[in-house]
Amino acid sequence: MDSALGDDANAGTALDQPWKSLGKVNAFAFQAGDTILFKANSSYAGQLEPTRSGTAASPIRFGMYGEGSKPIIDGAGYLAALHIRNLKNVEFSNLTLTSDAGTPIDAGALDERDGVLVESTTGTSSHIYLQNLDI
């Protein structure tokens, strides 16, 4: 992921072919063991809301590459910058998550704003790791 030089038409599978938007990440059907990296010193507007779980042996990981400050996910207007809903075996590290009081985009954001929101409405969630996050 590279918010400045990325392109959602890219394959997104190599550092020289990064995606640009959170929309592309949220829509992609990741598989167990996949790693999604956001470029250091970058900023993304919107909500990170992955839709696939990993496995206990092969979690799906979200993190950072490059040198510099942690990538920023600015959930302005959304309920949460990172929304983990009905997932398991996912790991998030080395990101900055913020959710200011911008104009609400989704109904839940009228009364609440979260840096991270974890919800489980379909059973038990496990192996959700949140490491080295600035919220």
Side-chain angles (χ1 to χ4, degrees):
M1 294 286 302
D2 185 334
S3 61
L5 301 175
D7 185 331
D8 286 346
N10 285 341
T13 56
L15 296 180
D16 64 349
Q17 290 286 310
W19 291 332
K20 183 177 187 80
S21 74
L22 292 173
K24 182 69 174 188
V25 173
N26 293 341
F28 195 81
F30 293 106
Q31 301 298 311
D34 282 349
T35 298
I36 301 84
L37 299 175
F38 296 84
K39 187 174 183 182
N41 301 313
S42 61
S43 182
Y44 305 86
Q47 178 173 252
L48 176 57
E49 188 175 14
T51 59
R52 294 286 186 106
S53 294
T55 65
S58 297
I60 297 175
R61 293 182 171 97
F62 295 81
M64 160 185 146
Y65 72 95
E67 297 294 321
S69 62
K70 295 175 187 172
I72 298 169
I73 298 176
D74 184 354
Y78 286 92
L79 179 59
L82 172 57
H83 195 169
I84 303 167
R85 186 187 336 227
N86 298 322
L87 298 180
K88 56 181 134 186
N89 303 306
V90 291
E91 300 178 0
F92 300 87
S93 63
N94 299 312
L95 301 170
T96 295
L97 307 168
T98 184
S99 187
D100 75 7
T103 302
I105 293 170
D106 59 36
L110 291 172
D111 300 320
E112 179 180 349
R113 298 290 171 90
D114 300 306
V116 178
L117 176 61
V118 179
E119 290 184 282
S120 183
T121 61
T122 60
T124 302
S125 291
S126 60
H127 192 130
I128 297 174
Y129 293 179
L130 307 171
Q131 302 169 319
N132 200 28
L133 300 176
D134 293 336
I135 302 172

